[in-house]
Amino acid sequence: ENSPAPLPERAIYGFALFLGSSFGFMLYLIWAYVPETWLFSLGLTYWPQKYWAVALPAYLLVAIGIGYILLFGINMMSTAPLNSTHTVTDNYAKKQQQKKFQEEAIPALRDIPISEVNRMFFLPEK
Amino acid sequence: MAERSYRSAAGAAIALRRRQHSASCRELAVRCPRLQLRSLSAVTSAVWLAAYGLFVLTQNSMVLSAAIFITLIGLIIYLHFVKVDQESLLVIGSLGIQVTSSYASGKESTTFIEMGQVKDVVINEAIHMQKVIYYLCILLQDPGDPQGVSEVVPLFQSSKPRLDCLIEVYKSCQEILEQRKTAPQSS
């Protein structure tokens, strides 16, 4: 089943992730700070330029900042304009089947057309 | 003929005028607030101060003439294409609905929708620019599908009246639209 309880497997995954991420961080620190000559003398020559040790975090932070603005913009673009039929109905409402009315039973759930809703709200019954 | 004042969605003062021409013909006109002198002078002063600042920096007098030109052309374009003075709705029972927008420069743009295409006139709520607004719209009928809505025509887009004004307009329209159900079909 899907329960959020702590399990032995989850503890092992967590510890493996912890070790992996600590190793990755140590590797990143070594690559960024240890001078190139020392790395060459150890025989590690084919590593990326140290320029990227500063460029990648900068790119990441700018991308996160733009992401906020982008998400806002995507939301605005996805909002239906005032003259679209999506403000009134959609595919499920068009294809719904009408259940027969039974006496003394709660009426079946359905999408009420907007004309009916307006009449109910704005035209007071005499 | 009666004129009442209401508020637009943004808070500006608008006025609704109702005229009954006959038993099955009504005209509803919403008048938008006029162009304010203080906002006009504020924009003009800002543009001209910016142009003077540029002139002091660059010592090029073309900047000043360009600023005057831009202000004049911008004002004419704004009055002719953007600033709506009055929006009116003329509902004729057996004929159709006519929507007119009069701009501040005197231009009038009219749309006529014949009654056969009109399914209903309703007040709809939708999300518009981080707000939820009520707006009146005409639902057009799909000729093949009598139950479906083929198009939505929003009304009073520039004045954006609030719900109290919209309810008045809605009731007036519904009184006329109900007559076409009870009247014998002549098409």
Side-chain angles (χ1 to χ4, degrees), chain B residues 83-84 115 121:
Chain B
K83 180 89 188 75
V84 169
M115 212 35 119
V121 172

Side-chain angles (χ1 to χ4, degrees), chain A residues 72 76 79-85 87-89 94 113-116 118-119 121-124, chain B residues 120 122-124 126-130 133 135 139 149-152 154 157 163 167 170-171 178:
Chain A
F72 188 69
M76 280 184 75
T79 313
L82 293 186
N83 64 349
S84 107
T85 51
T87 53
V88 179
T89 183
K94 283 184 201 156
I114 185 169
S115 310
E116 217 175 299
N118 264 276
R119 271 194 285 276
F121 277 149
F122 304 126
L123 295 179
Chain B
D120 203 1
V122 298
I123 297 179
N124 193 11
I127 302 176
H128 176 72
M129 301 290 273
Q130 289 84 45
I133 57 166
Y135 65 104
L139 301 178
V149 175
S150 76
E151 224 182 293
V152 172
Q157 288 291 280
L163 191 60
I167 292 179
Y170 174 75
K171 284 185 189 162
E178 271 167 4

Side-chain angles (χ1 to χ4, degrees), chain B residues 88-90 97-101 109-114 138 153:
Chain B
S88 77
L89 189 67
L90 178 67
I97 302 182
Q98 176 169 292
V99 183
T100 314
S101 296
S109 125
T110 318
T111 311
F112 180 74
I113 303 168
E114 55 173 346
I138 306 178
V153 178

Side-chain angles (χ1 to χ4, degrees), chain A residues 117-124, chain B residues 4 6-7 14 16 18 26 28 30 89 121-124 134-137 156 160-175:
Chain A
V117 173
N118 264 276
R119 271 194 285 276
M120 206 181 329
F121 277 149
F122 304 126
L123 295 179
Chain B
R4 292 180 58 180
Y6 292 94
R7 293 240 162 230
I14 57 174
L16 169 70
R18 275 187 288 194
R26 272 201 203 153
L28 299 132
V30 172
L89 189 67
V121 172
V122 298
I123 297 179
N124 193 11
Y134 290 99
Y135 65 104
L136 197 73
C137 58
F156 300 126
K160 290 202 175 59
R162 287 188 178 168
L163 191 60
D164 45 5
C165 180
L166 289 180
I167 292 179
E168 295 299 322
V169 179
Y170 174 75
K171 284 185 189 162
S172 294
C173 290
Q174 286 296 319
E175 280 167 21

Side-chain angles (χ1 to χ4, degrees), chain A residues 20-100:
Chain A
S21 57
S22 311
F23 174 69
F25 187 53
M26 285 300 130
L27 199 63
Y28 171 76
L29 286 180
I30 291 170
W31 167 47
Y33 282 106
V34 172
E36 281 210 321
T37 45
W38 296 13
L39 291 176
F40 286 168
S41 66
L42 283 172
L44 306 163
T45 54
Y46 203 59
W47 280 22
Q49 277 186 319
K50 284 180 187 279
Y51 160 79
W52 292 108
V54 182
L56 284 177
Y59 273 129
L60 190 67
L61 287 175
V62 172
I64 290 174
I66 289 182
Y68 278 108
I69 302 172
L70 197 70
L71 192 65
F72 188 69
I74 288 179
N75 274 331
M76 280 184 75
M77 280 176 60
S78 313
T79 313
L82 293 186
N83 64 349
S84 107
T85 51
H86 291 282
T87 53
V88 179
T89 183
D90 67 355
N91 275 337
Y92 299 104
K94 283 184 201 156
K95 294 192 187 130
Q96 64 180 344
Q97 276 115 12
Q98 310 275 351
K99 290 220 176 91
K100 260 182 9 149

